[in-house]
Amino acid sequence: MHTMVIALGGNAILQKGDKGTAENQRRNIGKTAAQLAVLAKEGYRLVITHGNGPQVGNILIQNEAARGKVPEMPMDICGAQSQGMIGYMLQMCLQNALRECGLNIPVSTVITQTLVDKNDPAFSHPTKPVGPFYCRQWAQERMEKYGETWIEDAGRGWRRVVPSPEPKSIVETPSIKSLVAQGHIVICSGGGGIPVMETEDGSLLGVEAVVEKDLSAEKLASSIGAQSLIILTDVNGAALHYTGSSEIWLGEVTLPDLVKYYHESHFFEGSMRPKVGAIMRFIEHGGKQAAIASLDRAIEAARGETGTRIIA
Ligand code: ADP
Ligand code: MG
């Protein structure tokens, strides 16, 4: 059996110009689900993971709008909410798409926690922007009252930033593995998983942070022994000299070449760099096939026909 982890970028759920209504999200997810059903029909065992940036952003706005009426929830719980919401939409759309293909495959969503190290250097340098832009006064109040970190983005206002630590392990790996072994399509590790850390006594504690979903996808794929990791986004792969006059889109590449480009800083932090890092690590950890491709070319990408791809 061939297990394939597919990471869906934010555009699988919300696209530029979408308002973010339930209908918008369901329509976009429906299109992706149709392609995933075709892959299931081809015999791949699928594990689906996804981004959650805009959804968590909206949950944070809802929280704030309800301040004084209902208690504000911390980020880890907002992350869990988004996994449930997106998981439900993906789960139902996939079930419908599978039924249309004449397939009877169970689909399960697993609320997933990602273990991070409390000594990760990211905790002293928050970099990942979350939620909407605010005025200086609001940012200052949050910094003073709650010790949050906010940064000014020239012209657009102030935005909260949180640490983006490395994923150490996926807490629910055993559950995911046994569901996959039983033939389920599993949706998990949404938004990179809910970041948790281990306390002195070994218990878990949610933290205010965001793990890059691509790095968690690699951790997930490697720890369940998947053969393939396919990262789908809004561009068909990674480019050298991106947006420059000598831009070159990468097709099939060797691992050593990709490692070299990675260290030459062709891929932007917070967007393409974690994807390239993820496919490199996956092959280094024994994965057979890894690719970054455009969302609407999922089937070709899975067949190894398009996108930036490394063959072990
Ligand atoms: P996702 O929601 O799929 O994770 P991201 O916005 O995080 O999407 O990452 C995809 C984006 O990465 C592309 O839209 C592109 O603008 C950007 N990007 C940065 N560096 C590169 C590069 N070297 N080659 C291609 N795309 C790049
Ligand atoms: Mg991203």
Side-chain angles (χ1 to χ4, degrees):
M1 271 303 220
H2 187 127
T3 303
M4 178 174 281
V5 172
I6 299 188
L8 303 175
N11 61 320
I13 310 165
L14 275 182
Q15 276 157 10
K16 274 191 199 98
D18 283 347
K19 273 216 173 99
T21 62
E23 225 20 70
N24 282 157
Q25 305 193 49
R26 255 200 288 255
R27 188 171 2 92
N28 295 333
I29 289 176
K31 284 186 206 152
T32 304
Q35 297 185 75
L36 299 177
V38 171
L39 292 174
K41 192 154 194 165
E42 293 191 359
Y44 294 108
R45 285 195 162 171
L46 302 178
V47 176
I48 313 297
T49 177
H50 58 83
N52 69 348
Q55 289 76 18
V56 169
N58 286 353
I59 293 170
L60 293 172
I61 295 173
Q62 288 170 345
N63 253 309
E64 181 209 302
R67 269 222 300 183
K69 297 199 180 78
V70 292
E72 193 175 345
M73 289 295 130
M75 267 198 70
D76 58 325
I77 297 183
C78 296
Q81 268 181 271
S82 77
Q83 286 186 350
M85 175 167 80
I86 300 170
Y88 158 63
M89 292 190 285
L90 262 169
Q91 193 171 308
M92 183 200 264
C93 288
L94 255 172
Q95 283 161 336
N96 289 340
L98 291 167
R99 201 171 47 96
E100 271 185 35
C101 286
L103 295 170
N104 183 18
I105 302 176
V107 184
S108 307
T109 301
V110 176
I111 299 294
T112 310
Q113 305 168 84
T114 300
L115 189 68
V116 300
D117 185 347
K118 61 175 184 299
N119 298 317
D120 192 302
F123 285 109
S124 45
H125 302 283
T127 52
K128 186 85 183 172
V130 287
F133 289 93
Y134 290 90
C135 65
R136 169 194 291 275
Q137 198 188 350
W138 174 273
Q140 228 139 29
E141 191 189 318
R142 299 289 302 190
M143 287 193 276
E144 281 158 23
K145 258 197 187 158
Y146 302 99
E148 295 176 354
T149 308
W150 287 66
I151 54 163
E152 191 179 14
D153 184 324
R156 293 201 292 174
W158 286 73
R159 210 169 173 205
R160 184 176 176 198
V161 285
V162 296
S164 186
E166 286 279 325
K168 274 181 68 186
S169 64
I170 307 291
V171 177
E172 284 72 24
T173 300
S175 316
I176 296 164
K177 259 178 141 169
S178 54
L179 285 166
V180 172
Q182 288 172 53
H184 289 235
I185 294 180
V186 183
I187 300 157
C188 59
S189 192
I194 305 155
V196 296
M197 58 170 63
E198 226 165 36
T199 59
E200 303 284 292
D201 69 358
S203 56
L204 297 176
L205 188 70
V207 289
E208 306 260 316
V210 172
V211 180
E212 276 291 350
K213 70 134 193 343
D214 305 302
L215 299 180
S216 296
E218 187 281 322
K219 204 37 105 184
L220 169 73
S222 295
S223 49
I224 64 171
Q227 281 74 28
S228 313
L229 171 62
I230 309 291
I231 299 178
L232 301 174
T233 183
D234 58 355
V235 286
N236 195 35
L240 303 181
H241 311 289
Y242 180 59
T243 67
S245 54
S246 53
E247 183 182 85
I248 302 164
W249 288 87
L250 298 169
E252 206 170 294
V253 286
T254 64
L255 180 60
D257 280 347
L258 198 58
V259 171
K260 182 172 138 264
Y261 304 143
Y262 184 83
H263 292 297
E264 288 171 357
S265 303
H266 286 282
F267 317 116
F268 298 175
E269 204 67 66
S271 59
M272 190 51 72
R273 191 169 169 86
K275 295 181 204 308
V276 173
I279 65 168
M280 279 164 27
R281 286 184 194 176
F282 180 63
I283 298 296
E284 284 164 356
H285 293 158
K288 298 281 171 279
Q289 176 200 8
I292 301 165
S294 160
L295 181 70
D296 52 9
R297 305 181 75 173
I299 298 168
E300 286 165 87
R303 292 178 181 152
E305 295 166 357
T306 194
T308 298
R309 50 205 191 272
I310 324 174
I311 310 292

